[in-house]
Amino acid sequence: MYDEDDLAEIQESREEWEEETLDPVLDRFGERKDRFATVSNLEVDRLYDPTDVADLDYGEDLGNPGEYPYTRGPYPTMYRGRTWTMRQFAGFGTAEETNERFHFLVDEGQTGLSTAFDMPSLMGLDSDDPMADGEVGKEGVAVDTLRDMEILFDGIDVGEVSTSFTINPSAAVVYGMYVAIADQQGVPREELRGTLQNDMLKEFIAQKEWVIPPEPSLDIVTDTIEYAAAETPKLKPVSVSGYHIREAGSTAIQELAFTLADGFAYVEDAMDRGLDVDEFAPQLSFFFNSHNSIFEEVAKFRAARRIYARVMNEWYGAEDERSLQLKFHTQTAGQSLTAQQPMNNVVRVTIQALAGVLGGTQSLHTNSFDEALALPSEDAVRVALRTQQIIAEESGAADSVDPLAGSFMVESLTEETEEKAMAYIEEIKELGDGSVRDGVLAGIEEGYFHREIQEASYEYQSRVEDEEEVVVGVNKYTMDQDTRPELLHVDEETQDRQLARLAEVKEERDDDAVEAALDELREVVERGDNVMPAIVDAVKAYATMGEIMGVFEAKHGGYRETVGVV
Ligand SMILES: C[C@H](C(=O)O)C(=O)SCCNC(=O)CCNC(=O)[C@H](O)C(C)(C)COP(=O)(O)OP(=O)(O)OC[C@H]1O[C@@H](n2cnc3c(N)ncnc32)[C@H](O)[C@@H]1OP(=O)(O)O
């Protein structure tokens, strides 16, 4: 953006400034630390100037918003046209309680729904499975059969609202149930909007929730991608997630690199099946974490869009602009919240949410200040949602597109993030046969991701313990006695109510129809065909989550990971 003469002049004036202005001040007062770094330990310079972005080409590297390589955002007007979707993750107890929370959130001005499932549902277990005992409805809503989904969406028109489902090993079953609800409500499948998390690769990398081994898990994800392209073109079948990778302790650059690698692995797997990239790629979506270092986060989001556009175009030949635009959801960093002085979390969440908005997110969840202690109470959720509303309507952050563009620091960090993330992606390719897909699968098997994240996480914790990294209220500005907010308690009778409903469904359903649907699924799995149509039929017969997932487990067995301790 600057010619050589300009840069030489700037360099000269910089050197003069250092000698005449800066050095005397450093000699007299010094600086607070020898080294300044982001929360991911990425060193930041004292000052950025045009020489740090000497190679930046406005047209090629930034482009205008809504244009390749989409660094400045996927839409030309961004939040001036429409603010991001305010999508608070919600779910607890039985479907009735979560349905009530959904209505509360919509009444408070939320613009999209996001479902949290309980641990048994996440793991594809029924509430009456012995392994589910004590966990039913605790961390999210319990969903055993289509009956639970009917109650969850009672009074909610699935043709009008977009819903996100955070579920992974058993995502295909929930997808089948959502399609069945659309059919019941008379909503055409092509109008169904929402997002399944359904990102099994990051499960093996970070969150560690799985039922069957990586390769057959990937096959099911690709089945959903194929089915979504044909049946529900507005629904996002996968939300490729960096959130959990970061929560497991990765740096921002690892989060970006591993997530994009997972995304490219899904693209390659679908293309290996013979699908045209532009047929399915517009339906892929992403999900990132937003932590406290604002500029590092903004750089990550901008670099994500740029890398994705370039790789989709240059490696996979994508041409449809919707295949090139990376769209993402953001959640503020749960790991950064403290149980000590919990009201301080409101401030952390505000900073992190602002970073997501300045980075151009499409959808945002702001954590509630009490989440280090319990599932959020209604009051805490309200403050979290209001935080988004204040950013959207009072701060001015939504009034101009990509407002930090041109900041020497942010552009320089964006370039550095892109370079380092690409170096990781190249390294991942080398772990396998040269494709990203094989590299990711090999990396999972070898414990590569686990080791990388573990190292970063250990390093962070050591910095906290050495007080190099300040956590207000934890290792600095501590108080002897904390105030505890009023917390949400999940009623202990939830499990009994859920078990009674499951028993009732089992009693009322047509057992022959269930058996026939499960037999059909078994045959489809045996043949290696797309499993989605058979899953939709099985859920419509009120087969349970556990019965359906049991078919896959019987065929592929379970999985144990290789863990290497650094
Ligand atoms: C930690 C926790 C756990 O594990 O426990 C979790 O994981 S919680 C994980 C929770 N996960 C989530 O909540 C994931 C949420 N993800 C999503 O909602 C999606 O995947 C998303 C990121 C693509 C966002 O989708 P969205 O529908 O909210 O937003 P979009 O950006 O697609 O906008 C909706 C519609 O408005 C249009 N639109 C938006 N803005 C503009 C604009 N400025 N100009 C023109 N059109 C615009 C879009 O084209 C689109 O239309 P059209 O529809 O016609 O194209």
Side-chain angles (χ1 to χ4, degrees):
M1 286 199 281
Y2 293 83
D3 67 25
E4 278 184 21
D5 290 344
D6 290 340
L7 290 169
E9 210 175 294
I10 291 164
Q11 180 65 28
E12 203 179 308
S13 106
R14 167 84 179 241
E15 283 161 16
E16 255 174 54
W17 169 81
E18 282 178 358
E19 213 175 285
E20 291 167 19
T21 312
L22 174 69
D23 286 349
V25 174
L26 285 180
D27 286 346
R28 217 167 140 206
F29 301 109
E31 288 182 326
R32 284 186 291 117
K33 300 189 221 176
D34 293 337
R35 180 176 177 273
F36 288 78
T38 64
V39 78
S40 299
N41 207 16
L42 186 73
E43 185 162 1
V44 291
D45 294 343
R46 173 180 301 111
L47 186 74
Y48 291 83
D49 68 24
T51 59
D52 292 293
V53 288
D55 298 332
L56 190 74
D57 180 300
Y58 186 83
E60 263 185 35
D61 297 323
L62 299 183
N64 291 313
E67 285 177 4
Y68 191 85
Y70 305 100
T71 313
R72 307 205 61 187
Y75 305 122
T77 57
M78 289 298 285
Y79 310 136
R80 287 170 69 100
R82 174 186 177 280
T83 52
W84 60 91
T85 307
M86 299 182 188
R87 200 186 287 282
Q88 296 300 100
F89 187 44
F92 60 95
T94 61
E96 282 88 353
E97 283 141 323
T98 301
N99 173 268
E100 212 175 288
R101 178 64 69 94
F102 278 178
H103 282 287
F104 163 80
L105 287 166
V106 171
D107 292 346
E108 291 289 330
Q110 178 165 296
T111 49
L113 297 174
S114 177
T115 324
F117 293 88
D118 70 356
M119 194 47 84
S121 309
L122 291 175
M123 297 302 291
L125 298 172
D126 290 338
S127 300
D128 59 4
D129 190 294
M131 295 265 286
D133 192 24
E135 285 294 334
V136 177
K138 279 280 163 65
E139 288 181 15
V141 60
V143 170
D144 292 312
T145 66
L146 182 59
R147 179 69 47 81
D148 298 310
M149 285 287 266
E150 290 160 1
I151 297 167
L152 194 58
F153 286 96
D154 188 33
I156 297 168
D157 179 350
V158 297
E160 288 297 318
V161 71
S162 80
T163 308
S164 162
F165 298 97
T166 296
I167 193 153
N168 295 279
S170 46
V173 183
V174 167
Y175 183 19
M177 290 180 182
Y178 198 43
V179 169
I181 293 289
D183 292 353
Q184 278 185 3
Q185 290 190 359
V187 171
R189 291 182 181 180
E190 46 296 0
E191 292 306 319
L192 201 55
R193 284 164 51 232
T195 303
L196 300 165
Q197 189 160 92
N198 195 23
D199 173 11
M200 282 311 297
L201 293 173
K202 73 89 178 49
E203 290 299 326
F204 293 103
I205 289 175
Q207 186 162 246
K208 317 279 175 153
E209 284 168 12
W210 56 70
V211 174
I212 58 175
E215 288 224 37
S217 295
L218 177 56
D219 277 346
I220 302 178
V221 176
T222 306
D223 283 355
T224 62
I225 292 175
E226 187 178 23
Y227 184 83
E231 291 284 313
T232 60
K234 291 191 180 163
L235 184 133
K236 314 274 189 250
V238 189
S239 173
V240 191
S241 305
Y243 187 83
H244 315 81
I245 294 174
R246 189 70 177 281
E247 289 285 295
S250 83
T251 64
I253 288 170
Q254 289 171 336
E255 176 197 355
L256 177 61
F258 300 169
T259 307
L260 289 177
D262 290 346
F264 299 145
Y266 294 125
V267 169
E268 290 177 7
D269 202 62
M271 288 176 76
D272 286 351
R273 266 196 202 190
L275 295 180
D276 182 289
V277 65
D278 285 323
E279 221 177 288
F280 66 85
Q283 286 172 268
L284 295 178
S285 77
F286 286 81
F287 170 28
F288 292 110
N289 198 299
S290 190
H291 213 295
N292 291 331
S293 295
I294 297 189
F295 306 109
E296 170 169 70
E297 296 304 329
V298 174
K300 179 185 75 185
F301 299 132
R302 297 174 84 246
R305 282 191 292 268
R306 185 150 84 205
I307 298 175
Y308 190 68
R310 287 179 170 160
V311 169
M312 290 300 285
N313 180 250
E314 292 167 18
W315 294 5
Y316 305 119
E319 284 175 358
D320 185 329
E321 61 173 18
R322 294 168 315 138
S323 308
L324 304 172
Q325 296 164 336
L326 179 141
K327 293 185 186 161
F328 65 98
H329 172 71
T330 303
Q331 178 163 337
T332 54
Q335 176 272 340
S336 74
L337 302 186
T338 62
Q340 297 89 334
Q341 304 175 37
M343 288 309 286
N344 295 344
N345 294 328
V346 174
V347 183
R348 294 190 177 98
V349 168
T350 306
I351 291 169
Q352 297 163 6
L354 187 61
V357 169
L358 293 172
T361 193
Q362 277 52 71
S363 165
L364 179 63
H365 167 104
T366 32
N367 286 340
S368 298
F369 64 81
D370 55 357
E371 283 187 66
L373 299 161
L375 289 188
S377 68
E378 221 165 79
D379 282 346
V381 170
R382 187 181 289 108
V383 175
L385 180 58
R386 294 287 181 260
T387 305
Q388 297 202 33
Q389 291 161 339
I390 290 169
I391 293 173
E393 300 188 43
E394 295 187 18
S395 77
D399 297 348
S400 199
V401 178
D402 190 24
L404 293 186
S407 145
F408 305 123
M409 179 186 193
V410 169
E411 294 299 358
S412 171
L413 287 180
T414 304
E415 283 192 341
E416 187 177 352
T417 306
E418 178 180 15
E419 250 169 59
K420 292 186 167 157
M422 279 311 292
Y424 255 124
I425 293 170
E426 292 295 346
E427 186 173 297
I428 291 166
K429 278 164 86 173
E430 296 312 312
L431 298 174
D433 67 359
S435 71
V436 183
R437 177 194 178 279
D438 278 41
V440 169
L441 289 171
I444 290 168
E445 287 300 337
E446 286 169 22
Y448 164 85
F449 296 105
H450 188 95
R451 271 195 314 277
E452 288 286 323
I453 296 170
Q454 196 180 36
E455 253 172 50
S457 160
Y458 177 78
E459 204 195 303
Y460 170 78
Q461 194 56 35
S462 307
R463 292 201 314 279
V464 171
E465 276 161 35
D466 295 345
E467 293 173 22
E468 243 178 82
E469 196 72 49
V470 172
V471 184
V472 170
V474 175
N475 63 5
K476 205 171 179 183
Y477 314 113
T478 52
M479 281 164 72
D480 288 340
Q481 246 192 339
D482 270 343
T483 42
R484 285 279 148 134
E486 190 96 10
L487 300 177
L488 177 92
H489 289 283
V490 178
D491 149 17
E492 291 298 330
E493 278 152 27
T494 296
Q495 179 159 321
D496 296 340
R497 279 187 277 125
Q498 185 62 21
L499 288 176
R501 175 148 66 230
L502 179 56
E504 195 182 285
V505 172
K506 282 185 174 173
E507 182 63 39
E508 285 172 6
R509 67 187 186 173
D510 174 348
D511 289 339
D512 293 340
V514 174
E515 252 335 290
L518 290 173
D519 279 345
E520 170 63 16
L521 179 62
R522 272 181 212 108
E523 279 166 33
V524 167
V525 169
E526 219 36 68
R527 286 199 302 269
D529 290 348
N530 192 312
V531 296
M532 279 311 300
I535 289 182
V536 173
D537 288 345
V539 300
K540 283 186 172 178
Y542 293 89
T544 68
M545 174 77 94
E547 288 165 343
I548 296 172
M549 289 308 292
V551 172
F552 294 100
E553 218 179 338
K555 166 74 184 164
H556 302 292
Y559 178 70
R560 269 183 186 274
E561 69 174 333
T562 317
V563 181
V565 178
V566 181

